[in-house]
Amino acid sequence: MSTRPGRAAGRARHNEGVTTTSANSGRSTARAGGTGAGRRRTKGSPALASERREHLVRLAAELFAKKGFQATTVRNIAEEAGILSGSLYHHFDSKESIVDEILSGYFDELTASSRAVVERGGEPREVLSALVRICFDALEPHRAAVTVLQNDWNYLRDMPRFGYLGKAENEVEQLWLAEIERGRQAGIFRADINARLTYRMIRDTIGVTVRWFQPGGSFDAGDLADHYLKVLFDGICVH
Amino acid sequence: MSTRPGRAAGRARHNEGVTTTSANSGRSTARAGGTGAGRRRTKGSPALASERREHLVRLAAELFAKKGFQATTVRNIAEEAGILSGSLYHHFDSKESIVDEILSGYFDELTASSRAVVERGGEPREVLSALVRICFDALEPHRAAVTVLQNDWNYLRDMPRFGYLGKAENEVEQLWLAEIERGRQAGIFRADINARLTYRMIRDTIGVTVRWFQPGGSFDAGDLADHYLKVLFDGICVH
Amino acid sequence: MSTRPGRAAGRARHNEGVTTTSANSGRSTARAGGTGAGRRRTKGSPALASERREHLVRLAAELFAKKGFQATTVRNIAEEAGILSGSLYHHFDSKESIVDEILSGYFDELTASSRAVVERGGEPREVLSALVRICFDALEPHRAAVTVLQNDWNYLRDMPRFGYLGKAENEVEQLWLAEIERGRQAGIFRADINARLTYRMIRDTIGVTVRWFQPGGSFDAGDLADHYLKVLFDGICVH
Amino acid sequence: MSTRPGRAAGRARHNEGVTTTSANSGRSTARAGGTGAGRRRTKGSPALASERREHLVRLAAELFAKKGFQATTVRNIAEEAGILSGSLYHHFDSKESIVDEILSGYFDELTASSRAVVERGGEPREVLSALVRICFDALEPHRAAVTVLQNDWNYLRDMPRFGYLGKAENEVEQLWLAEIERGRQAGIFRADINARLTYRMIRDTIGVTVRWFQPGGSFDAGDLADHYLKVLFDGICVH
DNA sequence: AATGAATGAGTTTTCATTCAT
DNA sequence: AATGAATGAAAACTCATTCAT
């Protein structure tokens, strides 16, 4: 379902407005059609360096999800990886750039999938279902990102570097609003509901799920989506 | 609707399992093994807490809501009050005890109101409506508490001091579950919805509202409740 | 045995070299042959004010003995008395002046008693016994002073205010040394012991006793003295 | 005489019951749930601790001895080392863990030597002499530990972390008591002395010596021991 | 004689980050 | 690619003391 774009094609890094003093400011992944001479530090294959990096990001993601971004120290991450905290700076610019990588990965996928679903078109109820399912489906692969967004949004939103988060959110919102509106015009959705309110309600409800959702527990993300769509479309009352 | 108990009558502070070495842990100064007779600070007013203290709690609450508990420094709070950070410790034991005061105030009220509503009885749909409205109504007076719970729950839940939060949450959950079940038995609520899932969905959705809800904006808490109950009971689809 | 001089006649206060900014610098007890107009703050009888003050000193002494001077806060003392810390400053200049009162009381008595015993004269062995017993006997009434001297001597000795402690110690030491010497000349004490080393050994041993000595326990101060004198004079070996 | 075990072989650190969150609690960096293989910091040298670390401990020990544990600030230590106070935390968890290192080093050695001496057996008088000499001999290499124990015992004894101090003291006491008893049975030591009282007297007297004993002064630790044993065994009186 | 509020200088500790090796 | 040592700025908290009321 997800049209997951390759990393190179996706939105690159998002360090707008950030002064980068060190040499290692951006991602060190290969850039498509790179113009400058990409920093190559790794002697072996670039793929290996990238693997190490991705591994570190995954470790960090887990910690961010478990303890929150602020409460996770660079030392925590390094310990988890079995190295010293200073050594992390060989791979990343800063703690922020790690979380950036995590969040942008999530948003790249979310916006791309959402756009694709809407472009494909179909019954508003089906499209809306698909949008909802995209969010639920992200709960497992992007658990950390969603969690950080839930818990540390307050902290991150004020940082210029993460301005893109708001923009991406907006783009997704517009897609939803249009679809809800379309359903209303078509007489499928009730006229007396407020589209924005409804959107917020749905998105928030899904996001906040990470706080108690256990992958591998009694429900999987699909069950959650089924249940939620049922209530969303028809309410909890018997008709 | 809410039987809102006065602060003085409600459950006081919740520092179970916390050794308090300093003098300012509770509202009335705790004394080690003093020989003198207990001092009553305020003779005239029934309020136990000093006005100054309450004022400081309010200032702190605003900051916690705006920036999060972790991101708010005691200096921030002190500056807001126009004093030095050390002076705050004349009134409070710790930063934690400030947030404790805020959170316990919220939970005292929430559990009391919820219990009262359930005990009064009535149609399940009406009782559930009332429970939902209690949560929405808390959004304004307890904005800070709800916000902190949203953003810093991950951080707070591991602290023994805040174990009571989980317990209070549980109590409320039980009230809701019983009511949903009752509605199902009565054939009012659909048999194919999961009570727990539904509960989490509703509570979370309301709580997360605090992230964008502006008191004094285009919607007030009542509008939100109306809209939400509409969707919750009957869904967004036309029947 | 102790010729305990009245407070008024004893060495007054010892704030040499301390700039006193507040009004209440010295003791407020009546001064013998006072020249200036003594500060009179108490409306009732001066004796009552003095009683309160003495009571506070006793409370402080207990705390100093239990937790050490440095580790005891002014707040601790005030709490014990059932007042607020600031209120203590109505009675005392500073924390230091409280401990000063405790220590000087001890030394006034110690030096006076020791002088008296030596002046009375007699067999060196008897005089030395009496000197030892003075120290043991002080263990109960001056427990706090002895304890503070043991634990906080390092801290206090550098303060000009407490320079008199060293002087008083010296005076006592001279009395002992002379007596030991006299006993040696008389052929009663061995010639091959070092007087100073012996003095230090005895005094220290007695002082350090406060660390485990429990008034009301299996031994009283007299038992300790008996035992110690036995070992001191004749050793632990069978002859 | 002392079987002085090397540091690396002795009982390491004693932070029983203390939750260590940071990385630097022990000598070898504790790691949370690291995946990588354990790192050995020093391959060549058998010493586990870094030289830098040991150097810092020595500096701290001197300051603790001079000013007392409480009165020595981490800033003092850092300044002595020519670094900033925060930098100390690269090497140590806390101020407490520094003093822990100092104290446990002393006790490891003391208990090991004492055990060895007792196990070797011999005349009670000789064994007791050896036990006394162990204590005197520790005065120079473990001056700081002994001093801290003298001055800050009151403060440290209440901390769970330092519970092992009491246990180690107890073990040593038992060794002494058994030896004194053996000497009594053998008719070498007087029957009318109390073993515990005698033990306390001796140990305390030696410990308190640190308050005036100057390594490099007119007496060395051996002289002190000689003199003390003379008095202890035969008393100061001529027989 | 005491309260209640505050000061100010200090404390220990945390932590992202830098950098020579 | 990593270590080991350090920085520096800030954090929470402590506490003797002051002072208007």
Side-chain angles (χ1 to χ4, degrees), chain C residues 91-224:
Chain C
H91 302 277
F92 306 96
D93 238 54
S94 64
K95 196 181 159 188
E96 277 170 30
S97 72
I98 304 180
V99 82
D100 194 346
E101 196 140 333
I102 295 166
L103 294 177
S104 62
Y106 167 59
F107 273 109
D108 286 353
E109 194 170 315
L110 177 70
T111 51
S113 314
S114 298
R115 249 184 265 126
V117 149
V118 168
E119 280 163 14
R120 191 175 322 122
E123 281 286 293
R125 185 171 164 145
E126 290 316 306
V127 175
L128 195 58
S129 285
L131 287 173
V132 166
R133 279 187 202 282
I134 284 171
C135 294
F136 273 110
D137 286 346
L139 245 38
E140 294 198 32
H142 292 285
R143 179 170 170 60
V146 178
T147 308
V148 167
L149 248 15
Q150 285 300 314
N151 298 327
D152 300 289
W153 171 251
N154 243 289
Y155 178 74
L156 298 172
R157 81 172 156 205
D158 294 331
M159 316 179 68
R161 167 166 210 163
F162 293 106
Y164 73 91
L165 294 179
K167 289 178 197 150
E169 273 287 5
N170 264 353
E171 189 185 337
V172 173
E173 177 171 353
Q174 292 314 319
L175 294 172
W176 283 58
L177 293 190
E179 213 52 44
I180 294 174
E181 205 48 52
R182 210 162 60 90
R184 243 187 355 196
Q185 304 288 328
I188 295 168
F189 297 150
R190 294 162 55 171
D192 64 342
I193 57 160
N194 178 295
R196 277 212 65 224
L197 238 41
T198 305
Y199 164 70
R200 279 257 55 92
M201 200 160 279
I202 305 175
R203 273 302 306 277
D204 289 347
T205 306
I206 303 173
V208 89
T209 293
V210 288
R211 224 164 267 165
W212 50 267
F213 173 59
Q214 304 278 6
S218 19
F219 309 103
D220 67 13
D223 297 333
L224 251 50

Side-chain angles (χ1 to χ4, degrees), chain B residues 83-101:
Chain B
I83 57 178
L84 292 178
S85 66
S87 305
L88 272 181
Y89 289 80
H90 182 67
H91 303 276
F92 306 97
D93 244 48
S94 63
K95 195 181 159 188
E96 275 172 33
S97 74
I98 305 180
V99 82
D100 194 346
E101 194 140 333

Side-chain angles (χ1 to χ4, degrees), chain D residues 39 41 52 84 87 90-91:
Chain D
R39 284 159 298 109
R41 268 181 188 177
R52 184 79 179 122
L84 292 178
S87 305
H90 181 66
H91 303 276

Side-chain angles (χ1 to χ4, degrees), chain D:
Chain D
M1 176 172 283
S2 142
T3 58
R4 183 140 186 197
R7 205 43 167 303
R11 210 145 25 101
R13 213 90 331 277
H14 303 264
N15 355 17
E16 337 159 9
V18 175
T19 54
T20 349
T21 50
S22 171
N24 277 333
S25 53
R27 213 66 65 64
S28 53
T29 309
R31 282 189 296 112
T35 53
R39 284 159 298 109
R40 265 295 119 246
R41 268 181 188 177
T42 44
K43 296 167 226 172
S45 112
L48 280 169
S50 79
E51 275 168 42
R52 184 79 179 122
R53 187 189 167 96
E54 298 251 305
H55 176 61
L56 293 171
V57 171
R58 263 193 302 276
L59 291 181
E62 263 165 55
L63 287 170
F64 289 157
K66 202 193 308 172
K67 318 187 2 169
F69 174 69
Q70 291 178 84
T72 302
T73 69
V74 292
R75 263 221 274 271
N76 292 153
I77 303 170
E79 269 161 20
E80 200 72 21
I83 57 179
L84 292 178
S85 68
S87 305
L88 273 182
Y89 288 80
H90 181 66
H91 303 276
F92 307 97
D93 244 47
S94 63
K95 194 182 160 187
E96 276 171 31
S97 72
I98 304 180
V99 82
D100 195 344
E101 195 140 333
I102 295 166
L103 294 177
S104 62
Y106 166 59
F107 273 109
D108 286 353
E109 195 170 313
L110 176 69
T111 51
S113 313
S114 299
R115 248 184 267 127
V117 148
V118 167
E119 279 163 16
R120 189 170 328 118
E123 282 286 292
R125 187 171 161 144
E126 291 315 305
V127 175
L128 196 59
S129 284
L131 287 173
V132 166
R133 279 186 203 280
I134 284 171
C135 294
F136 274 110
D137 286 347
L139 245 37
E140 296 199 30
H142 292 285
R143 179 167 169 59
V146 178
T147 308
V148 166
L149 248 15
Q150 286 299 315
N151 298 326
D152 300 288
W153 171 251
N154 243 288
Y155 178 75
L156 299 171
R157 76 169 162 208
D158 294 330
M159 317 181 67
R161 165 165 209 164
F162 293 106
Y164 74 91
L165 294 179
K167 287 178 198 151
E169 274 287 6
N170 264 354
E171 189 187 335
V172 173
E173 176 171 354
Q174 292 314 318
L175 294 172
W176 283 59
L177 294 191
E179 214 52 44
I180 294 174
E181 203 49 52
R182 208 162 62 89
R184 254 202 330 209
Q185 304 287 328
I188 295 169
F189 298 150
R190 293 161 57 172
D192 65 341
I193 59 161
N194 178 294
R196 278 211 66 225
L197 237 42
T198 306
Y199 165 71
R200 279 257 56 94
M201 197 162 281
I202 306 175
R203 273 303 305 276
D204 288 348
T205 306
I206 303 173
V208 90
T209 291
V210 94
R211 225 165 267 166
W212 50 267
F213 173 60
Q214 303 278 4
S218 21
F219 310 104
D220 68 13
D223 298 334
L224 251 48
D226 290 340
H227 187 270
Y228 189 57
L229 286 169
K230 198 157 58 186
V231 174
L232 176 67
F233 287 135
D234 301 310
I236 64 172
C237 290
V238 173
H239 291 100

Side-chain angles (χ1 to χ4, degrees), chain B residues 172-193:
Chain B
V172 173
E173 177 171 354
Q174 293 312 321
L175 294 173
W176 283 59
L177 293 191
E179 214 51 46
I180 294 175
E181 204 49 52
R182 208 162 62 88
R184 250 196 339 203
Q185 304 287 329
I188 294 169
F189 298 149
R190 293 161 56 171
D192 63 343
I193 58 161

Side-chain angles (χ1 to χ4, degrees), chain A residues 42 52 84 87 90-91:
Chain A
T42 42
R52 181 85 175 114
L84 292 181
S87 307
H90 198 64
H91 302 277

